Amino acid sequence: MRVWAVANQKGGVGKTTTSIALAGLLAEAGKRVVVVDLDPHGSMTSYFGYDPDTLEHSNYDLFLHKGQVPEGMPAQLLLATSNERISLLPSSTALATLERQSPGQSGLGLVIARALAQLWQDYDYAIIDSPPLLGVLMVNALAASQQLVIPVQTEHLAVKGLERMVNTLAMINRSRKQELPYSIVPTLFDRRTQASMSTLRVLRDLYPETIWQGYIPVDTRLRDASRAGLAPSQFDPKSRGVVAYRALLKHLLSRQLAPQVA
């Protein structure tokens, strides 16, 4: 299994759409994918028609065992989605309480890595949708992943948020055994606006080595796919957004590292 995290410390940049779009394209290519919703808001969980406020079980259950994960638990929590090759490890609003519980508990930063280790042979890819703030959940996402995708909205305030995310990643890398490679992905790009055009230039100037040279355009078909509960490539495989995500996936696959040992 290869594990990718999608994260940014700024909200509204397209993390959930990016996670599901990539999962859908991998599934289309015949891969088995598990998507992990680590955002207490549960956008990914809601995308696939589940209510994070009322689910009896969720990935919150994984954190209730002092950093350990009981054998077989991750598989019991998986939910079906609109794509038979994509399974969901759902979120719960209870995840928001973890920060208050985490002081004094060792091992909480590795819960998701331990959970995915139990699913290693069952899936080809795991894609983690991370919350937009630094805390135990984002630490879990980064600790479990082999490659990081950082969506960045092409507007001026997003550049500052990206700077914080890159600094966070540098901090996380100091505690990892190996550096986590990442790709910056410009999103919500609108070539009709000066803000999008100038922000894209700034991003390319500041991060020439790590930015993907393409961009994800504003595309109402992505929103329509969300409303239908379908991965964008299922909903409209020829839309501008899906064409862009196909190019992004090709880029990410070209940068893939050898799989880690679970």
Side-chain angles (χ1 to χ4, degrees):
M1 182 197 288
R2 299 181 186 273
V3 184
W4 297 350
V6 180
N8 192 326
Q9 286 176 243
K10 185 180 184 303
V13 298
K15 292 189 302 296
T16 299
T17 298
T18 296
S19 299
I20 296 173
L22 291 173
L25 290 168
L26 287 167
E28 181 183 277
K31 305 301 183 182
R32 301 161 300 167
V33 186
V34 57
V35 289
V36 184
D37 189 354
L38 281 189
D39 191 337
H41 291 108
S43 296
M44 175 183 278
T45 301
S46 299
Y47 190 112
F48 287 116
Y50 298 100
D51 184 353
D53 292 322
T54 61
L55 280 175
E56 184 177 355
H57 296 288
S58 70
N59 57 30
Y60 177 69
D61 295 22
L62 300 172
F63 290 89
L64 299 180
H65 303 275
K66 298 183 178 179
Q68 301 305 311
V69 179
E71 188 66 33
M73 174 175 277
Q76 295 170 17
L77 299 176
L78 293 172
L79 298 176
T81 72
S82 52
N83 189 308
E84 63 180 10
R85 291 187 176 273
I86 301 176
S87 299
L88 169 68
L89 192 55
S91 177
S92 164
T93 51
L95 286 172
T97 68
L98 282 178
E99 300 302 329
R100 297 196 300 272
Q101 302 173 28
S102 58
Q105 291 197 43
S106 62
L108 280 188
L110 296 175
V111 167
I112 296 302
R114 289 169 178 154
L116 292 178
Q118 292 190 26
L119 301 173
W120 210 258
Q121 301 303 320
D122 299 324
Y123 293 92
D124 301 301
Y125 284 85
I127 299 181
I128 306 171
D129 190 13
S130 178
L133 73 164
L134 178 59
V136 67
L137 293 170
M138 183 179 285
V139 167
N140 264 271
L142 299 182
S145 65
Q146 301 161 324
Q147 189 166 187
L148 174 64
V149 178
I150 308 177
V152 182
Q153 184 178 359
T154 46
E155 55 95 21
H156 297 302
L157 291 178
V159 177
K160 199 66 179 176
L162 175 59
E163 183 181 331
R164 289 194 297 272
M165 186 66 218
V166 171
N167 290 338
T168 293
L169 184 58
M171 178 184 70
I172 295 292
N173 277 339
R174 287 194 288 270
S175 63
R176 285 175 57 100
K177 293 180 181 178
Q178 63 183 45
E179 187 171 309
L180 177 61
Y182 66 94
S183 294
I184 296 167
V185 178
T187 60
L188 298 167
F189 179 77
D190 187 347
R191 64 170 57 254
R192 298 169 300 179
T193 69
Q194 184 59 36
S196 270
M197 296 292 288
S198 62
T199 302
L200 184 60
R201 286 194 295 270
V202 168
L203 289 171
R204 287 173 173 172
D205 288 343
L206 291 176
Y207 302 98
E209 300 299 322
T210 52
I211 191 169
W212 172 51
Q213 289 302 308
Y215 55 79
I216 306 299
V218 172
D219 185 355
T220 59
R221 300 299 281 169
L222 296 175
R223 186 174 63 242
D224 294 340
S226 173
R227 191 178 299 115
L230 297 171
S233 54
Q234 284 179 280
F235 184 79
D236 187 348
K238 296 183 179 180
S239 67
R240 291 183 301 124
V242 170
V243 169
Y245 276 118
R246 286 189 194 279
L248 172 61
L249 179 61
K250 183 177 180 180
H251 167 77
L252 294 175
L253 291 174
S254 73
R255 303 189 73 233
Q256 224 165 215
L257 297 178
Q260 296 176 352
V261 176

